[in-house]
Amino acid sequence: MNTTESLKDYQRVRMLAIRSLFEIIEQSSEGTVIVDRDANIVWMNERYAKRFGLASAEVAIGRPCESVIPGSLLREVVRTGRPILLDMQDTPKEPLVVMRLPIHDDAGAVIGAIGFALFDELRSLSPMLKRYLSLQEELASTRSLLRARQAKYTFAHFIGTSAASLEVKRRARRSASTESPVLLLGETGTGKELLAQAIHGASPRAHKAFVSINSAAIPEALLEAEFFGTAPGAFTGADRKGRSGKLQIAQGGTLFLDEIGDMPLPLQSKLLRVLQEKEFEPVGSNEVIQSDVRVIAATSTDLEAAIKRGEFRADLYYRLNVLPIQVPPLRERLDDLPALSEAILEELRSQHELDSQALELLGQHAWPGNIRELRNVLERAALLSDDLILNAAEIRAAIGSFVPVQRSAPLAIETHANETFSAARERFDRQLIESMLAHCGGKVVEAAARLGLGRSTLYKKMVALGITESL
């Protein structure tokens, strides 16, 4: 056999092998599709056509591959000339393991591509497919959980332009850039959790979870398990698989400890260890888990008084009280009532408005329930009113037990003969600061918030005026 005949014989064997290989894969695969250089389908077997809901393969001819096979990468194979040997292809029924190959002409130019769906014949890939589906479910669950744990509020939701409100927002924004614990102090209903979420949302941890736990809302016997999680079968009735606690769920994010003043003393000591050592152990486990959470705590109780009563650990208080923020009650920021009322009615999707007398009446009530009470009053008034303009009588009826604001008597301005303006101002400043410190029981932080000053600013003024903290 001469060289020419041998070459022809090799080419014939090669063509037969290619055809046989194509026929074997086509017959044994779940589906086969061929596209031209424009990624339009030129051939598809019937099995593949039925998988994508087509009456016959002929319906697919001439159509772009993506319009028949959503997510197809055959166009990329045609564009790049590179094969994709193993990949996962989602279909309406189940994911397929697919192989995509470019088609070249005799000159080596790419003129199309061919794709094989190999799911049915690669039984050995079944564990991988199960693992793939499991990971998909786990990822969807994690995304859903993270969305549920995302902070809903920003600083824009803390409505108010009064001096007290602006000082709170200033301090809160400053705390967002740090990793230090924050302690929010204030009466219930003043918006402490809103501020905690805003701080988290403005921090580098914003893309992680915001997890809240209320020490007063969970029975003491369950609080430790809720906080630290449990090992499998840690106690009778515990989950056999174990359960993640709030600390684990908040990893990388922020843990908000609401009403921390009600936390039991034994749990306080364990929390102190978390803050100092950055580690904890689930209930019933000897495993030490590293902790990476930013802690924001809030309370409506007087922690210093609780320390004196032996109900709160002094060392935990000092560890938490790094960045204290005094959130003022509504009666101390009455100038914010118009903006707050408008925002609440908008949030309630109400078309109601308040007339001037209704707004004036709102400013005469002491609001013991703070913003939570204000929302309740406005919602009740809007539901009961037949008129879109709410008047004072309707607001008065919605308030129920009216608590008038106790307005402090204005400071008497004394004048002294031959006293300069500078001396008179210094005397007035001293009188004002001493009066406010006495009203706040000597608490500089609270006095500063009520005066609309930063703590450091008030300290500087006190030093300059010779005022001591013992007042």
Side-chain angles (χ1 to χ4, degrees):
M1 182 182 297
N2 58 37
T3 304
T4 302
E5 292 176 344
S6 298
L7 181 59
K8 290 181 179 179
D9 191 51
Y10 292 157
Q11 290 175 339
R12 178 173 172 273
V13 171
R14 178 174 176 270
M15 292 303 298
L16 288 173
I18 292 173
R19 188 173 67 183
S20 297
L21 179 62
F22 172 79
E23 291 175 352
I24 291 172
I25 296 179
E26 190 278 325
Q27 291 172 7
S28 61
S29 70
E30 181 63 21
T32 306
V33 61
I34 301 175
V35 299
D36 61 15
R37 60 167 50 93
D38 296 319
N40 295 323
I41 296 174
V42 297
W43 183 84
M44 173 184 275
N45 65 4
E46 295 295 336
R47 288 191 302 281
Y48 217 30
K50 291 179 180 179
R51 176 172 286 276
F52 290 98
L54 301 180
S56 68
E58 292 184 2
V59 179
I61 306 302
R63 293 172 58 181
C65 58
E66 299 89 353
S67 67
V68 177
I69 309 171
S72 173
L73 297 180
L74 286 172
R75 186 180 299 277
E76 181 179 340
V77 173
V78 173
R79 182 178 60 82
T80 64
R82 291 193 295 268
I84 302 176
L85 298 180
L86 281 179
D87 192 19
M88 303 297 297
Q89 173 72 53
D90 288 321
T91 73
K93 293 183 178 179
E94 55 194 343
L96 300 176
V97 179
V98 297
M99 176 172 62
R100 306 180 184 96
L101 304 170
I103 302 174
H104 299 86
D105 60 14
D106 292 338
V110 177
I111 59 172
I114 183 169
F116 298 102
L118 306 171
F119 177 80
D120 283 350
E121 287 304 307
L122 294 184
R123 298 297 181 186
S124 61
L125 290 178
S126 181
M128 186 186 78
L129 293 172
K130 290 181 180 179
R131 177 63 177 162
Y132 170 77
L133 293 175
S134 174
L135 288 173
Q136 289 285 83
E137 292 176 1
E138 184 178 339
L139 179 61
S141 175
T142 302
R143 284 175 174 168
S144 176
L145 180 62
L146 187 58
R147 280 195 296 270
R149 299 286 184 184
Q150 291 294 308
K152 297 182 294 183
Y153 301 110
T154 66
F155 287 116
H157 291 93
F158 192 85
I159 308 296
T161 56
S162 64
S165 298
L166 293 176
E167 174 62 14
V168 167
K169 285 190 277 190
R170 184 189 70 81
R171 293 174 68 88
R173 283 195 179 95
R174 177 171 293 183
S175 71
S177 61
T178 75
E179 288 290 308
S180 300
V182 175
L183 182 59
L184 301 173
L185 304 167
E187 298 175 7
T188 181
T190 52
K192 294 187 294 296
E193 182 164 1
L194 184 153
L195 274 174
Q197 293 195 26
I199 292 170
H200 169 77
S203 74
R205 295 175 178 263
H207 63 290
K208 296 291 186 178
F210 176 90
V211 180
S212 174
I213 182 170
N214 189 318
S215 300
I218 301 173
E220 184 175 337
L222 300 177
L223 190 56
E224 184 176 0
E226 187 75 14
F227 197 83
F228 296 105
T230 59
F235 52 85
T236 303
D239 195 328
R240 293 181 180 179
K241 296 181 180 179
R243 185 170 181 270
S244 297
K246 292 294 194 289
L247 267 172
Q248 289 171 277
I249 297 173
Q251 283 287 63
T254 300
L255 180 65
F256 175 56
L257 305 174
D258 200 6
E259 295 301 342
I260 195 170
D262 294 318
M263 180 176 285
L265 280 169
L267 190 56
Q268 291 180 29
S269 62
K270 294 187 176 183
L271 172 60
L272 181 62
R273 181 190 174 193
V274 174
L275 293 173
Q276 292 183 162
E277 307 299 331
K278 304 295 184 182
E279 62 184 28
F280 65 94
E281 297 177 11
V283 176
S285 171
N286 293 323
E287 179 188 6
V288 176
I289 299 176
Q290 296 301 310
S291 172
D292 176 25
V293 296
R294 199 271 178 92
V295 172
I296 300 177
T299 183
S300 57
T301 62
D302 187 339
L303 292 183
E304 293 183 358
I307 292 172
K308 294 177 181 178
R309 295 192 303 268
E311 297 174 359
F312 200 84
R313 293 180 62 105
D315 47 7
L316 177 59
Y317 172 71
Y318 296 129
R319 191 67 186 84
L320 290 171
N321 196 37
V322 178
L323 290 170
I325 299 177
Q326 186 74 41
V327 186
L330 185 53
R331 62 183 173 275
E332 293 181 8
R333 43 182 293 221
L334 295 175
D335 290 345
D336 296 333
L337 275 170
L340 278 169
S341 301
E342 183 179 352
I344 290 172
L345 289 171
E346 184 177 342
E347 184 183 343
L348 294 172
R349 298 182 180 178
S350 172
Q351 301 298 317
H352 291 81
E353 296 180 8
L354 296 163
D355 65 19
S356 58
Q357 291 181 332
L359 280 171
E360 183 179 350
L361 181 65
L362 290 179
Q364 297 171 1
H365 182 49
W367 300 106
N370 293 297
I371 298 173
R372 189 176 291 123
E373 181 188 1
L374 176 62
R375 178 188 173 91
N376 176 276
V377 167
L378 293 176
E379 186 173 8
R380 183 186 299 121
L383 288 172
L384 296 177
S385 177
D386 295 325
D387 195 342
L388 290 180
I389 304 298
L390 300 175
N391 58 40
E394 291 169 321
I395 293 298
R396 180 66 183 79
I399 290 176
S401 300
F402 192 84
V403 182
V405 175
Q406 299 295 324
R407 302 186 186 276
S408 56
L411 290 172
I413 302 177
E414 302 177 6
T415 57
H416 297 270
N418 301 322
E419 186 178 37
T420 64
F421 176 81
S422 177
R425 178 175 178 177
E426 182 178 317
R427 179 169 51 82
F428 176 79
D429 285 352
R430 180 183 292 104
Q431 185 180 356
L432 176 63
I433 292 173
E434 288 178 345
S435 175
M436 185 59 72
L437 283 170
H439 180 72
C440 296
K443 297 178 182 177
V444 177
V445 174
E446 184 178 346
R450 296 191 179 200
L451 290 170
L453 299 173
R455 182 181 60 175
S456 60
T457 302
L458 180 55
Y459 270 124
K460 290 176 182 177
K461 287 183 177 293
M462 289 170 61
V463 171
L465 296 170
I467 301 173
T468 64
E469 291 186 59
S470 58
L471 287 172

